[in-house]
Amino acid sequence: MTAGRTIDIQLLALEESSAAALYGMLEVLSTAGRPIRESRGMDPAPATLVPRIVSPLRKPFQCAHGIPVVPHCAMDADNIPGVLIITEFWLTPGDDMTDRYDDVKDWLRLCREAGTTIYSVCVGSVLVAAAGLLDGRPATSHWAFEGLFRQSFPRVKFDPRPSICFSDPSGRLVTAAGASSWHDLALYTIAHHVSPEEAMLTAKFFLLNLHPDGQLPYANRIVRRPHADNVVRRAETWLAENFRDPDPVAGVVDAVGIPERSLKRRFSQATGQTLISYAQDLRVEAAKRALESGQASVEDIAADVGYENVAFFRRLFKRTSGLGPTAYRRLYRPLEAHTALTRQQVQT
C-alpha cells in the first residue's frame, strides 16, 4: 500500500473542554484514511489526518470533570496549524469567556490571519466569538446559548437551527451546533480534507449519525435567563401555570397589575422574548412532552395546550421545532418504546 499525504489537525483543549468531544474527535479523525482501510484490506485513501491536542502549555492538566489531558503541542507563534478545531466546553449559559484566555484569543486571531481553517464544536464557538472572529458572520452553537450570543455578541448572526453553519463562504470558518454535532463536524472534516467516500466509511465503522434536521428538534425553548426584574419573574411564573389560557397576554397583564405596554417592554428587556412568543414556547414544549410519551392525537394535543386551530398549531410547531408534530413523535417514539420495555423487564 502506498501512503497518501498527511494533514495536520490540532484540537484545542482547555480546562473547560469536554473530554467526550475532544477524545471522540481525536480517535475518529485518527482512523480516517488508513487504519480503517488497513483493517479491511483496502488501499489507503489519498490523505490521512493526523490530529494532535494543543493547549496553552504543553504540560498535562485536567479538563472538565477531572479527566486528564496530555497535550501533544503548545500554542506558539511558530505553531500555526492548517486546521484547528475548538471542541466543546462545559460552560454555564451566562459564561461568555470574555474575562479570560486572552493569550488563546490572540493565538486564534493569529491563526486566522495566517489562513488556518478554524472549526468549532458546540459551545466552542463562544471562544471564537469572544476572539471577535464571528463578528458580522452567521454562526451556531448549542441551542441553550442563543440568549448569551444575543446579549454578549450581538454582532454575530446567530442561528440556532443548523447542525453545521458555514461562517464564511470559503469554508475556513465553520461552527457546529449541540454536543453530539461533533459527529457532523468530524464527518464533514473527513469528507472535505480526505474524501466523501472516506467520511461514509468512517460513519459506518463508528455508527456515527448526522443530524440533517438540525438541533431545533432537541431544543428546549424555555430557558429562564437570570435577571433582577421581580415583576417579570412573576409574569414568567404566571405564564408557566396558565399558558393554556385563551388569551395569556391579557391574563398575565391582569395578574401582575401593570400597564400592558410597560409589561411588554420590561418582559422583552429581561428575557429577550415577547410575551406572546414566551407563551407560545410554553405551549409547544407542553405539546412536545405529550408527543414524546403519550398516544393522544395531534388534534387533541393542540386543543389541550390552547389551540383550536390545528393548522396554525402545526405551522407554529414546525417553525419552532424544525419538525412537524407527527415527525417529532416518530423521532422520540423509539426512545419511549425502549424505556417502556426496560421498565417492564425490571418489574418482571
Side-chain angles (χ1 to χ4, degrees):
M1 296 183 180
T2 303
R5 62 191 178 93
T6 60
I7 300 172
D8 180 54
I9 295 180
Q10 295 186 21
L11 308 176
L12 178 63
L14 302 174
E15 291 182 355
E16 295 87 348
S17 292
S18 162
L22 176 65
Y23 288 119
M25 290 201 77
L26 183 68
E27 182 166 20
V28 168
L29 297 179
S30 295
T31 66
R34 174 172 285 275
I36 292 178
R37 288 174 170 267
E38 287 181 344
S39 69
R40 297 187 175 190
M42 301 169 63
D43 291 333
T48 299
L49 306 180
V50 182
R52 298 185 295 158
I53 297 175
V54 62
S55 66
L57 299 174
R58 188 181 177 181
K59 65 178 184 179
F61 67 97
Q62 292 183 341
C63 68
H65 306 116
I67 298 174
V69 177
V70 181
H72 299 98
C73 55
M75 295 181 336
D76 188 275
D78 296 325
N79 176 27
I80 304 297
V83 179
L84 176 65
I85 301 176
I86 296 102
T87 56
E88 178 191 357
F89 297 138
W90 279 94
L91 302 177
T92 64
D95 185 353
D96 60 15
M97 301 189 81
T98 57
D99 60 349
R100 60 193 185 283
Y101 293 127
D102 289 343
D103 55 340
V104 177
K105 296 167 194 171
D106 288 341
W107 187 67
L108 290 181
R109 289 188 282 265
L110 182 64
C111 289
R112 176 68 177 167
E113 292 171 2
T116 297
T117 294
I118 298 177
Y119 301 147
S120 70
V121 178
C122 192
V123 186
S125 59
V126 172
L127 180 62
V128 184
L133 300 184
L134 295 177
D135 287 353
R137 300 178 182 276
T140 193
S141 185
H142 193 285
W143 54 262
F145 282 74
E146 180 176 3
L148 178 143
F149 270 84
R150 305 291 186 210
Q151 182 172 351
S152 296
F153 309 114
R155 296 183 61 190
V156 177
K157 300 174 182 178
F158 187 85
D159 188 347
R161 296 170 297 177
S163 294
I164 288 184
C165 180
F166 293 88
S167 297
D168 75 4
S170 70
R172 290 187 175 274
L173 190 58
V174 178
T175 53
S180 63
S181 66
W182 73 261
H183 295 186
D184 302 73
L185 185 61
L187 294 176
Y188 166 78
T189 302
I190 295 168
H192 184 69
H193 295 282
V194 183
S195 71
E197 177 192 4
E198 193 64 25
M200 182 64 70
L201 189 64
T202 304
K204 290 179 178 179
F205 185 83
F206 283 100
L207 277 69
L208 297 180
N209 290 321
L210 294 173
H211 300 85
D213 295 315
Q215 64 173 342
L216 287 187
Y218 308 92
N220 180 356
R221 299 288 298 176
I222 304 301
V223 180
R224 281 203 169 188
R225 291 168 54 176
H227 61 78
D229 193 323
N230 290 330
V231 171
V232 172
R233 190 65 71 197
R234 284 165 50 206
E236 289 176 298
T237 300
W238 188 94
L239 286 169
E241 297 171 352
N242 300 278
F243 61 84
R244 293 178 173 85
D245 190 277
D247 190 347
V249 173
V252 73
V253 170
D254 288 342
V256 299
I258 68 171
E260 181 175 340
R261 174 180 284 185
S262 296
L263 178 58
K264 286 181 175 179
R265 175 179 53 80
R266 290 170 64 170
F267 195 92
S268 180
Q269 288 177 343
T271 69
Q273 286 187 271
T274 63
L275 280 170
I276 188 61
S277 68
Y278 193 84
Q280 288 175 337
D281 284 347
L282 286 165
R283 289 176 168 184
V284 169
E285 288 302 317
K288 284 181 181 179
R289 291 191 292 273
L291 289 164
E292 291 163 11
S293 58
Q295 303 296 324
S297 68
V298 173
E299 290 76 12
D300 287 344
I301 291 173
D304 180 65
V305 299
Y307 293 109
E308 295 182 4
N309 188 328
V310 179
F312 176 80
F313 167 73
R314 288 181 183 274
R315 291 194 300 272
L316 175 67
F317 191 97
K318 186 168 185 178
R319 187 175 76 239
T320 58
S321 304
L323 296 173
T326 302
Y328 183 88
R329 171 172 269 164
R330 284 198 299 267
L331 178 66
Y332 283 98
R333 183 52 55 84
L335 182 59
E336 171 63 19
H338 176 73
T339 303
L341 179 60
T342 301
R343 289 198 202 102
Q344 182 179 11
Q345 290 172 339
V346 170
Q347 292 171 355
T348 58

